[in-house]
Amino acid sequence: MSGNNIRVVCRFRPSNKTEIAEGGVPIVNVLEDGTSVVINGKEAQQTFAYDKVFGMDTLQKDVFEYSIKPTVLDILSGYNGTIFCYGQSGSGKTYTMMGSDIDDDKAKGIIPRIVEQIFDSIMQAPANLEFTVRVSYLEIYMEKVRDLLNPSADNLPIHEDKTKGIYVKGLREVYVSSTEEVYEVMKSGNNNRVVASTGMNAESSRSHSIVLVTITQKNLDTGAAKSGKLYLVDLAGSEKVGKTGASGQTLEEAKKINKSLTALGMVINSLTDGKSNHVPYRDSKLTRILQESLGGNSRTTLIINCSPNSYNEPETISTLRFGVRAKTIKNKAKVNADLSPAELKALLKRVKGESVTFQQYIQALENELLIWRAGGEVLDSQWASMDKASKGTLPSPRTPTPSSFRPTLPDDSRPATPALALEKDEREEFLRRETELSEQVAEKETELANKDTAAQTLQTELQALKESEKAMATTNQSITSELNDVKLQIQKASYDRKESDINVDSLREANAELVTELEQFKKTIEELKAQKASAVQQDASPATEADNVAPSIDVLSDEDILALEQETKQTLDQLNTGSFELTEDQVQQLRKQLQQYKLQLGQQETLIDSLQKDKTELTDKRQNLETRLNLLEVEYEELLEKAIADEEVALDDQPEEIHRTISELKTKLEQEFVTRKEIQQKEIQELRSQLEEKDLQYKEMDTTLAELKITHDKLQSTLETQKKSKVSLVGDKDKDVEKMRKSMAEQMAYFEVMKKGLMRDLQSRCEKVVELEISLEETREQYNQVLKASNNKAQQKKMAFLERNLEQLTNVQKQASAVLGRNSENNEKTSVVLTMHLFFFFFSSWWNKTRN
Ligand SMILES: Nc1ncnc2c1ncn2[C@@H]1O[C@H](COP(=O)(O)OP(=O)(O)OP(=O)(O)O)[C@@H](O)[C@H]1O
């Protein structure tokens, strides 16, 4: 620990508009050495000296380089540090600390530059040093501590702790790993700061803001650790409220600001006047938080910001004096280090040695005391001393002999010797020190024991780590070989997949072939249908030879077959009853038809044979395909399962990526397999249904064929019967003709009777017509009379029309009567009925019209 003064640097900003407008002029002169400034005041010229003075046009970068950079190195070495800006409102404190734009390389202030420097240094630090950086951001507004990173915490308490020192309880700490992250924290904190427009500054900070950066570093080799805290303080500006015209809330803020700044001044006074026993740190939140920075464990830099203009001369002089005073503050910065186990051991050894020396010293003193008490005397040269104890030259402990013992009764004859009083004080002192030392020793022993245990644990851990490293190396090797195996397996799997792809392709081809065959089969069916249709047409055509006999066999439907059967049966019945006669031509025709039937039957049989063959082939193919497909499916599944299982087993300990790739591959393969399987199953289903259709067709054909055979057999037998009966038929032909003539004569007689009946009926109808004519004539007469009476032209026209119609009807009736004489009975009947109908039609229409 060494005493170190606060570093004070002074910065002047350029004159601002208000100052110029008020007619102020620059009154500062920075001397060449860069550490002194002369103020050409109204009344006197004053010189102020600091560690560094920056003129009006100093760049942000230069302020950092020349005054701040070393502080960063201090923090990284384990010291606490503080940089704070002091000055009147609008003097450039925020400009200096944060800058007008932290993203602009020129405009950014010292805080962003410090952050950059910290991370640059961390990056360049040895690899065995491990760093952590934490950032907090607070403001003291109206004497309340607000967390700018957690604005809801707006009145945080300040605590003190043996290990932590002075700290704000509950303040949010953000771990950061880069400059950008710190910038983000700064920006979010800045957004929560309280600023207001004042007469001195358009954006005046109404609070003291503190950025706290905590850096801890740990030596991974020795276990030693260091930590440094850096307080970056932008104080609110002091202001003369009369000058700035503050009122209302701004006035209240100004009062609080000035009060806390006064407290800061008082602390500095107490620290520097050399008389004060008490430093009033607790008078304000600001001084309490900055307690370590002012006269404590910190390397502190104060930046005093001033106006160069005569308009603000009094404030500038005040600020400069503040800086001068602060410059004399002595701090006691020390490295905040946790000792390594080795260092602790050495310390313990030393303390133990000291303890032994003390014990020896105490023992020597006690012996000496006993001698004195016993009335003995100890020579000056033999008196016990700490020096002798540490050199180990103390006389060996002696027990006082009884002879030399003298009672220590108080001798009233003389006053108590000062030796006794000294003895008592010394004893108390020794006892106190002994207790202290034994406490220290006990503490150190406990510490040592703890450290020993920690060291042993560490050694065990180290051993375990070495072993695990070995195991890891072995595992690594095995993993590498497994990885190679897996790679091989993946390759194999990809080959297998390709193979299965090829298989699937071949299946597709087979499928395509089947489809082609199916198409051909369909074509064949179409052709058959076409043949059937043409046969039906032939049947329907009157030019066909077999027209009057039977429909063509190859187009026989169920109804046709039934009709044919009935016809055959009738023919057979007729033949059996002898009521049917066949001419020579008919017999010839029957023969021809029979030959045709035979031909068609042959064709049908050939067709059925070919169909049978087709069916067998198709069934075989279907079976083959199904077998192949099943085999392929089984193979594919086995392959897939095997590949997946192998990959799963092999890749259990593999890196995540390979595992994921494999699982993706697996999912893809499974999806592909499922899709293909579905497609193939659909195809198989289609093929099956087609085959079933074919089967049905085949069965129908079979039935038709059977029926045709039966018909053929019947016809054959009929033909045989015809052949047999042919001879007898020719012989009986004349008789049959005779019979037919007779039957014809009978029929003619029957027709004659019917004709006579009809003629009678006609006659009676004609009579009725005559009667009707008469009644019509009468009606006409009546009508004419009515017409004459009405003299209506329209009625006359209608009447004339009716008359014409009647005449026509009469003609028709006459023609019909004439025809009746010539035509058959039916025709006569029809004619009469027609005439009657016509008559009644015209009559009814006339009658309706007349009535209307
Ligand atoms: N060195 C400089 N160069 C140029 N402009 C400056 C400089 N210093 C300060 N300024 C400008 O002066 C104005 C006041 O500065 P700033 O806000 O930093 O003052 P402050 O001391 O923080 O005031 P307050 O105490 O009221 O918050 C700002 O507009 C700032 O940009």
Side-chain angles (χ1 to χ4, degrees), residues 12-74:
F12 290 93
R13 63 156 170 76
S15 293
N16 64 26
K17 280 180 191 168
T18 316
E19 290 165 338
I20 295 163
E22 292 291 337
V25 288
I27 51 166
V28 298
N29 181 20
V30 179
L31 298 183
E32 268 185 19
D33 61 356
T35 57
S36 305
V37 60
V38 178
I39 305 294
N40 300 309
K42 221 189 245 175
E43 290 167 5
Q45 199 182 55
Q46 297 178 63
T47 306
F48 299 90
Y50 304 100
D51 292 293
K52 186 78 186 166
V53 178
F54 296 109
M56 290 183 284
D57 45 10
T58 313
L59 299 174
Q60 297 278 57
K61 184 179 80 148
D62 293 338
V63 176
F64 173 75
E65 288 289 333
Y66 295 113
S67 63
I68 307 300
K69 211 172 181 178
T71 311
V72 178
L73 300 175
D74 288 344

XYZ file of all heavy atoms in Angstrom, residues 12-74:
489
model
N -10.712 23.171 -20.547
C -11.521 24.337 -20.890
C -12.271 24.045 -22.183
O -11.702 23.511 -23.135
C -10.633 25.576 -21.098
C -10.029 26.068 -19.820
C -8.769 25.649 -19.408
C -10.723 26.968 -19.006
C -8.207 26.100 -18.231
C -10.166 27.417 -17.818
C -8.904 26.981 -17.416
N -13.525 24.358 -22.179
C -14.303 24.227 -23.422
C -14.246 25.565 -24.163
O -13.848 26.579 -23.564
C -15.748 23.844 -23.109
C -16.509 24.874 -22.298
C -18.008 24.758 -22.491
N -18.742 25.596 -21.544
C -18.876 26.894 -21.618
N -18.273 27.597 -22.585
N -19.584 27.574 -20.710
N -14.652 25.581 -25.425
C -14.726 26.865 -26.137
C -15.854 27.722 -25.550
O -16.767 27.189 -24.914
C -15.067 26.458 -27.575
C -14.812 24.998 -27.655
C -14.985 24.442 -26.301
N -15.770 29.013 -25.785
C -16.842 29.904 -25.308
C -18.146 29.538 -26.009
O -18.150 29.187 -27.197
C -16.512 31.361 -25.645
O -15.395 31.780 -24.913
N -19.220 29.628 -25.258
C -20.510 29.289 -25.895
C -21.248 30.569 -26.306
O -20.794 31.691 -26.037
C -21.349 28.393 -24.988
C -21.756 29.068 -23.695
O -21.843 30.300 -23.634
N -21.972 28.285 -22.658
N -22.377 30.394 -26.972
C -23.127 31.522 -27.556
C -23.540 32.541 -26.500
O -23.430 33.749 -26.721
C -24.381 30.980 -28.254
C -24.104 30.406 -29.608
C -25.398 29.903 -30.213
C -25.101 29.085 -31.471
N -26.273 28.359 -31.936
N -24.023 31.991 -25.351
C -24.502 32.896 -24.299
C -23.361 33.804 -23.848
O -23.541 35.032 -23.701
C -25.005 32.079 -23.097
O -25.789 30.999 -23.587
C -25.814 32.913 -22.128
N -22.202 33.169 -23.635
C -21.053 33.940 -23.151
C -20.668 35.026 -24.157
O -20.416 36.189 -23.776
C -19.867 33.005 -22.901
C -20.105 32.092 -21.703
C -19.138 30.908 -21.633
O -18.555 30.535 -22.688
O -18.988 30.354 -20.542
N -20.682 34.653 -25.432
C -20.312 35.637 -26.459
C -21.364 36.740 -26.519
O -21.045 37.939 -26.587
C -20.124 34.943 -27.834
C -18.925 33.969 -27.743
C -19.917 35.941 -28.958
C -18.863 32.936 -28.838
N -22.639 36.270 -26.450
C -23.725 37.244 -26.504
C -23.675 38.222 -25.339
O -24.057 39.397 -25.482
C -25.064 36.499 -26.498
N -23.219 37.714 -24.221
C -23.138 38.573 -23.034
C -21.889 39.464 -23.061
O -21.596 40.199 -22.122
C -23.115 37.718 -21.767
C -24.423 36.996 -21.484
C -25.555 37.931 -21.081
O -25.290 39.046 -20.594
O -26.730 37.534 -21.280
N -21.135 39.340 -24.140
C -19.952 40.186 -24.325
C -18.724 39.689 -23.587
O -17.735 40.433 -23.398
N -18.763 38.424 -23.179
C -17.618 37.838 -22.488
C -16.472 37.557 -23.444
O -16.664 37.393 -24.654
N -15.274 37.509 -22.899
C -14.081 37.217 -23.714
C -13.271 36.109 -23.050
O -13.338 35.950 -21.816
C -13.190 38.466 -23.882
C -13.828 39.472 -24.816
C -12.888 39.083 -22.528
N -12.477 35.351 -23.840
C -11.648 34.321 -23.213
C -10.601 34.931 -22.300
O -9.971 35.927 -22.667
C -10.993 33.608 -24.408
C -11.848 33.955 -25.569
C -12.389 35.314 -25.301
N -10.439 34.351 -21.138
C -9.493 34.923 -20.168
C -8.467 33.895 -19.712
O -7.793 34.071 -18.712
C -10.241 35.496 -18.937
C -11.226 34.440 -18.372
C -10.983 36.779 -19.283
C -11.745 34.778 -17.002
N -8.423 32.747 -20.424
C -7.488 31.693 -19.976
C -6.282 31.609 -20.893
O -6.386 31.834 -22.102
C -8.173 30.317 -19.900
C -9.293 30.320 -18.890
C -8.659 29.861 -21.251
N -5.179 31.289 -20.278
C -3.955 31.111 -21.050
C -3.255 29.858 -20.526
O -2.716 29.844 -19.416
C -3.077 32.358 -20.880
C -1.799 32.246 -21.688
O -1.720 31.454 -22.630
N -0.784 33.020 -21.302
N -3.313 28.796 -21.325
C -2.684 27.537 -20.901
C -1.191 27.653 -21.177
O -0.787 27.939 -22.307
C -3.281 26.325 -21.642
C -2.599 25.040 -21.195
C -4.771 26.258 -21.415
N -0.404 27.445 -20.152
C 1.044 27.607 -20.334
C 1.608 26.421 -21.126
O 1.008 25.353 -21.196
C 1.713 27.745 -18.969
C 1.262 28.975 -18.165
C 2.037 29.073 -16.850
C 1.458 30.279 -18.959
N 2.803 26.681 -21.653
C 3.372 25.706 -22.591
C 3.637 24.335 -21.984
O 3.554 23.315 -22.646
C 4.676 26.259 -23.164
C 4.429 26.999 -24.446
C 5.723 27.461 -25.092
O 6.787 26.913 -24.753
O 5.647 28.368 -25.923
N 3.984 24.349 -20.699
C 4.277 23.058 -20.069
C 3.042 22.149 -20.016
O 3.137 20.965 -19.759
C 4.843 23.256 -18.663
C 3.863 23.972 -17.735
O 2.769 24.376 -18.229
O 4.162 24.119 -16.538
N 1.863 22.748 -20.264
C 0.623 21.951 -20.312
C 0.119 21.546 -18.959
O -0.802 20.736 -18.863
N 0.685 22.119 -17.906
C 0.203 21.751 -16.570
C -0.289 22.975 -15.791
O -0.780 22.825 -14.682
C 1.314 21.055 -15.751
O 2.428 21.915 -15.684
C 1.700 19.717 -16.358
N -0.120 24.149 -16.356
C -0.542 25.362 -15.643
C -1.415 26.234 -16.529
O -1.302 26.205 -17.765
C 0.675 26.200 -15.231
O 1.560 25.422 -14.493
N -2.270 27.005 -15.896
C -3.124 27.909 -16.637
C -3.169 29.240 -15.901
O -3.219 29.286 -14.675
C -4.538 27.312 -16.824
C -5.216 27.045 -15.508
C -5.404 28.224 -17.686
N -3.125 30.283 -16.711
C -3.185 31.630 -16.134
C -4.551 32.209 -16.443
O -4.998 32.175 -17.588
C -2.073 32.530 -16.725
C -2.172 33.939 -16.160
C -0.706 31.933 -16.460
N -5.212 32.694 -15.430
C -6.516 33.328 -15.617
C -6.324 34.843 -15.510
O -5.887 35.353 -14.469
C -7.527 32.860 -14.543
C -7.640 31.322 -14.508
C -8.901 33.500 -14.754
C -8.234 30.681 -15.737
N -6.623 35.464 -16.619
C -6.500 36.928 -16.632
C -7.816 37.517 -16.149
O -8.682 37.923 -16.937
C -6.185 37.421 -18.048
C -4.874 36.813 -18.551
O -3.849 36.888 -17.850
N -4.904 36.182 -19.713
N -7.971 37.522 -14.837
C -9.249 37.929 -14.256
C -9.452 39.429 -14.292
O -8.572 40.195 -14.671
N -10.655 39.788 -13.881
C -11.030 41.199 -13.873
C -10.131 41.976 -12.933
O -9.667 43.066 -13.238
C -12.483 41.299 -13.400
C -13.307 42.282 -14.155
C -14.636 42.450 -13.456
C -15.784 41.948 -14.305
N -17.048 42.007 -13.575
N -9.886 41.343 -11.766
C -9.118 42.048 -10.739
C -7.660 41.627 -10.673
O -6.780 42.444 -10.427
C -9.778 41.816 -9.385
C -11.103 42.541 -9.281
C -11.933 42.107 -8.102
O -11.464 41.294 -7.283
O -13.084 42.560 -8.006
N -7.438 40.338 -10.920
C -6.036 39.872 -10.808
C -5.762 38.722 -11.766
O -6.684 38.138 -12.327
C -5.784 39.413 -9.373
N -4.512 38.504 -11.930
C -4.092 37.367 -12.770
C -3.700 36.227 -11.825
O -2.886 36.443 -10.922
C -2.889 37.807 -13.614
C -2.661 36.924 -14.809
C -1.421 37.373 -15.594
O -0.326 37.481 -15.010
N -1.580 37.628 -16.855
N -4.275 35.049 -12.049
C -3.983 33.926 -11.153
C -3.512 32.730 -11.956
O -4.030 32.471 -13.044
C -5.235 33.536 -10.377
C -5.748 34.626 -9.457
C -7.024 34.189 -8.757
O -7.019 33.241 -7.986
N -8.115 34.893 -9.023
N -2.558 32.030 -11.379
C -2.052 30.834 -12.048
C -2.442 29.604 -11.234
O -2.345 29.612 -10.005
C -0.510 30.898 -12.178
O -0.183 32.127 -12.822
C 0.035 29.737 -12.976
N -2.848 28.590 -11.945
C -3.231 27.325 -11.300
C -2.460 26.185 -11.962
O -2.367 26.152 -13.198
C -4.731 27.077 -11.430
C -5.584 28.140 -10.775
C -5.993 29.263 -11.482
C -5.947 28.023 -9.440
C -6.771 30.246 -10.874
C -6.733 28.999 -8.834
C -7.140 30.109 -9.550
N -1.966 25.284 -11.144
C -1.182 24.163 -11.698
C -1.892 22.839 -11.409
O -2.408 22.619 -10.318
C 0.214 24.173 -11.086
N -1.850 21.986 -12.387
C -2.483 20.655 -12.258
C -1.587 19.614 -12.898
O -0.519 19.920 -13.427
C -3.871 20.657 -12.915
C -4.782 21.737 -12.356
C -4.969 22.927 -13.051
C -5.398 21.576 -11.115
C -5.766 23.935 -12.525
C -6.195 22.580 -10.581
C -6.387 23.751 -11.291
O -7.142 24.750 -10.771
N -2.060 18.393 -12.882
C -1.278 17.352 -13.563
C -1.306 17.561 -15.073
O -0.366 17.202 -15.774
C -1.849 15.978 -13.215
C -1.624 15.645 -11.748
O -0.461 15.471 -11.371
O -2.607 15.606 -10.974
N -2.383 18.131 -15.564
C -2.482 18.420 -17.004
C -3.566 19.470 -17.226
O -4.603 19.453 -16.551
C -2.851 17.124 -17.753
C -2.854 17.231 -19.242
C -1.461 17.205 -19.830
C -1.504 17.467 -21.325
N -0.178 17.765 -21.862
N -3.300 20.380 -18.152
C -4.330 21.368 -18.501
C -4.599 21.262 -20.003
O -3.666 21.246 -20.813
C -3.878 22.803 -18.148
C -4.952 23.819 -18.566
C -3.588 22.947 -16.670
N -5.871 21.084 -20.351
C -6.254 20.997 -21.764
C -6.954 22.282 -22.186
O -7.923 22.714 -21.551
C -7.198 19.810 -21.988
C -6.548 18.478 -21.706
C -6.907 17.735 -20.587
C -5.575 17.966 -22.551
C -6.319 16.519 -20.329
C -4.988 16.736 -22.289
C -5.353 16.004 -21.171
N -6.454 22.852 -23.283
C -7.026 24.098 -23.801
C -8.364 23.866 -24.499
O -8.887 22.740 -24.562
N -8.872 24.966 -25.048
C -10.233 24.944 -25.599
C -10.406 23.988 -26.780
O -11.475 23.463 -26.999
C -10.608 26.368 -26.034
C -10.806 27.310 -24.867
S -11.323 28.917 -25.421
C -9.812 29.604 -26.043
N -9.328 23.850 -27.553
C -9.506 23.036 -28.766
C -8.893 21.637 -28.631
O -8.528 20.998 -29.619
C -8.943 23.768 -29.985
C -7.572 24.373 -29.677
O -7.033 24.029 -28.587
O -7.062 25.154 -30.490
N -8.843 21.160 -27.422
C -8.279 19.807 -27.239
C -9.262 18.753 -27.731
O -10.470 18.855 -27.494
C -7.964 19.542 -25.744
O -7.264 20.661 -25.237
C -7.159 18.285 -25.561
N -8.708 17.775 -28.411
C -9.569 16.706 -28.937
C -9.923 15.721 -27.820
O -9.164 15.548 -26.856
C -8.839 15.944 -30.058
C -8.436 16.761 -31.278
C -7.597 15.904 -32.215
C -9.675 17.268 -31.999
N -11.054 15.059 -27.988
C -11.508 14.044 -27.010
C -10.439 12.965 -26.842
O -10.141 12.514 -25.740
C -12.801 13.370 -27.512
C -13.998 14.297 -27.666
C -14.700 14.533 -26.344
O -14.072 14.997 -25.390
N -15.985 14.267 -26.286
N -9.885 12.571 -27.980
C -8.884 11.495 -27.989
C -7.682 11.872 -27.114
O -7.171 11.047 -26.350
C -8.435 11.279 -29.448
C -7.482 10.142 -29.670
C -7.128 10.009 -31.127
C -6.086 11.039 -31.425
N -5.080 10.912 -32.335
N -7.268 13.158 -27.227
C -6.082 13.592 -26.485
C -6.328 13.609 -24.976
O -5.452 13.237 -24.187
C -5.645 14.983 -26.962
C -5.147 14.932 -28.403
O -4.756 13.820 -28.831
O -5.193 15.961 -29.089
N -7.521 14.030 -24.586
C -7.857 14.032 -23.153
C -7.701 12.615 -22.606
O -7.123 12.392 -21.547
C -9.293 14.561 -22.918
C -9.676 14.467 -21.449
C -9.420 15.986 -23.402
N -8.195 11.631 -23.367
C -8.113 10.243 -22.925
C -6.654 9.762 -22.871
O -6.209 9.207 -21.861
C -8.943 9.360 -23.874
C -8.779 7.894 -23.598
C -9.391 7.314 -22.488
C -7.989 7.090 -24.413
C -9.237 5.964 -22.219
C -7.831 5.753 -24.136
C -8.452 5.184 -23.041
N -5.963 10.013 -23.971
C -4.596 9.495 -24.088
C -3.686 10.038 -22.971
O -2.910 9.295 -22.381
C -3.994 9.894 -25.452
C -4.575 9.137 -26.645
C -4.156 7.685 -26.696
O -3.068 7.355 -26.175
O -4.938 6.864 -27.235
N -3.816 11.347 -22.724
C -2.854 11.961 -21.803
C -3.258 11.910 -20.334
O -2.449 12.147 -19.468
C -2.583 13.421 -22.218
C -1.894 13.501 -23.561
C -2.528 14.038 -24.665
C -0.589 12.997 -23.710
C -1.896 14.085 -25.897
C 0.041 13.042 -24.939
C -0.616 13.576 -26.038
O -0.001 13.601 -27.250
N -4.504 11.641 -20.062
C -4.878 11.700 -18.649
C -5.605 10.464 -18.124
O -5.616 10.222 -16.919
C -5.750 12.919 -18.381
O -6.946 12.811 -19.117
N -6.191 9.693 -18.987
C -7.076 8.622 -18.500
C -6.505 7.220 -18.715
O -6.694 6.323 -17.890
C -8.469 8.734 -19.173
C -9.039 10.150 -18.985
C -9.440 7.693 -18.668
C -9.233 10.579 -17.534
N -5.792 7.055 -19.799
C -5.333 5.708 -20.177
C -4.645 4.972 -19.027
O -4.936 3.777 -18.798
C -4.394 5.821 -21.380
C -4.448 4.620 -22.272
C -3.659 4.871 -23.536
C -3.731 3.669 -24.441
N -3.005 3.913 -25.687
N -3.749 5.650 -18.267
C -3.059 4.916 -17.194
C -4.026 4.343 -16.143
O -3.750 3.285 -15.582
C -2.166 5.988 -16.556
C -2.062 7.066 -17.556
C -3.297 7.044 -18.358
N -5.144 5.043 -15.929
C -6.111 4.561 -14.930
C -6.645 3.180 -15.320
O -6.859 2.313 -14.475
C -7.281 5.563 -14.804
O -6.735 6.864 -14.659
C -8.166 5.247 -13.626
N -6.859 2.991 -16.639
C -7.373 1.697 -17.116
C -6.380 0.600 -16.770
O -6.753 -0.490 -16.307
C -7.644 1.754 -18.633
C -8.129 0.417 -19.148
C -8.654 2.843 -18.957
N -5.096 0.916 -16.966
C -4.058 -0.082 -16.658
C -4.051 -0.389 -15.161
O -3.853 -1.544 -14.759
C -2.694 0.412 -17.121
C -2.598 0.680 -18.634
C -1.249 1.285 -18.982
C -2.826 -0.606 -19.432
N -4.310 0.649 -14.355
C -4.394 0.438 -12.895
C -5.515 -0.542 -12.550
O -5.333 -1.452 -11.745
C -4.670 1.768 -12.180
C -3.456 2.683 -12.193
O -2.352 2.183 -12.481
O -3.613 3.900 -11.942
